[in-house]
Amino acid sequence: YGSTRPERILAEVKSKATRGDARSVVDTIDQYCRHQEWAMNVGDEKGTILDSIVCEVKPRAMLELGTYCGYSAVRIASLLPPNSRLITMEFNPVFAAIARQVIAWAGVEDKVVLIEGPSGDWIPKMKKEFGLTSFDLVFLDHWKDCYLPDTKLMEECGLLRTGSILVADNVICPGAPDYLEYVRGSPRYESKYFRSHLEYTRVEDGIEKSVFLG
Ligand SMILES: Cn1cnc(CNC(=O)c2cc(-c3ccc(F)cc3)cc(O)c2O)c1
Ligand SMILES: [Mg+2]
């Protein structure tokens, strides 16, 4: 059914999840990816860690790099306070097209802005395009070799303020060694590792939470 994995995930959401119910969309995707076919969503275990950070920070302005099918965008948006915005960026137009439909099905489209294209092109334009001063919280979940260059670019573009928090998925598997070395070694960050597992598996993975100190 459906020719691509994201299309099969969307089909599952439309047939099993309750329209307008973000939690049921999240649970449907988790069930499908745990029992039918694995997919690179942040998943339920690491998702709980992400939830706790979103609830603690209560971000007014949040950025996600790497939308994929929209699983974490839906998860995050369902926790955002009123008149807060999640901007989520996806390079791959096929993923973006699926994610738009998953986000709409969950009924969170008024909290989420999905932008398509390369992060390196978009990051320098964000302030102007969205009337932003800075991001309170950034979730990095895109190509692992882009975590570090994009973090440096966000610093240079003044998108991080004292207290802005970076949350990075997959710092162990597939891994982002250069990023980890940077945030753990830099005096401008206070970093903490949350040990977990690769989504839907017993393989070790984790989330790194790093506070920008300015
Ligand atoms: C193509 N593409 C578009 N966006 C991206 C960015 N995401 C990832 O690469 C990514 C990969 C994995 C993963 C894949 C294979 C494996 F064996 C173990 C782990 C897990 C994740 O949570 C991820 O976020 C890749
Ligand atoms: Mg990931």
Side-chain angles (χ1 to χ4, degrees):
Y1 193 94
S3 60
T4 68
R5 187 170 311 193
E7 280 169 349
R8 292 191 291 273
I9 290 172
L10 174 62
E12 188 73 3
V13 163
K14 286 184 169 176
S15 76
K16 299 265 176 58
T18 307
R19 201 186 188 110
D21 180 344
R23 271 317 313 179
S24 89
V25 168
V26 167
D27 294 340
T28 298
I29 295 173
D30 280 333
Q31 280 294 314
Y32 181 74
C33 294
R34 182 176 290 281
H35 302 298
Q36 308 304 320
E37 65 175 325
W38 187 91
M40 58 182 172
N41 318 115
V42 71
D44 43 358
E45 195 179 318
K46 289 185 290 179
T48 305
I49 299 166
L50 177 62
D51 291 351
S52 62
I53 297 168
V54 171
C55 290
E56 172 203 335
V57 175
K58 295 186 179 53
R60 283 292 315 280
M62 182 163 178
L63 174 64
E64 173 181 67
L65 299 174
T67 316
Y68 188 44
C69 295
Y71 171 92
S72 47
V74 167
R75 200 169 176 128
I76 292 162
S78 72
L79 299 173
L80 288 181
N83 55 51
S84 299
R85 268 287 173 295
L86 170 70
I87 298 172
T88 182
M89 198 184 301
E90 178 52 57
F91 171 79
N92 183 315
V94 173
F95 296 166
I98 297 293
R100 285 189 202 289
Q101 297 174 75
V102 169
I103 289 162
W105 192 268
V108 293
E109 63 273 46
D110 56 355
K111 289 188 181 285
V112 180
V113 176
L114 195 157
I115 54 181
E116 283 182 51
S119 47
D121 294 3
W122 266 108
I123 288 170
K125 295 189 299 190
M126 305 285 283
K127 279 194 170 211
K128 232 189 264 58
E129 289 287 321
F130 297 99
L132 282 165
T133 47
S134 59
F135 286 110
D136 304 310
L137 183 55
V138 181
F139 179 47
L140 298 100
D141 194 21
H142 59 333
W143 284 324
K144 309 316 160 193
D145 56 5
C146 291
Y147 284 19
L148 182 53
D150 286 349
T151 296
K152 289 181 172 174
L153 192 54
M154 286 189 285
E155 289 174 16
E156 285 153 24
C157 297
L159 283 168
L160 304 179
R161 52 139 174 102
T162 299
S164 289
I165 292 174
L166 304 183
V167 177
D169 189 27
N170 310 116
V171 294
I172 303 301
C173 177
D178 57 344
Y179 172 81
L180 269 193
E181 190 187 335
Y182 180 72
V183 290
R184 290 178 175 173
S186 165
R188 301 179 76 190
Y189 289 91
E190 182 57 44
S191 232
K192 184 179 176 197
Y193 176 64
F194 293 76
R195 188 164 182 217
S196 185
H197 297 92
L198 177 67
E199 48 269 25
Y200 319 117
T201 77
R202 304 158 73 101
V203 172
E204 181 173 349
D205 189 19
I207 279 186
E208 190 83 1
K209 175 190 175 190
S210 307
V211 185
F212 185 60
L213 303 174

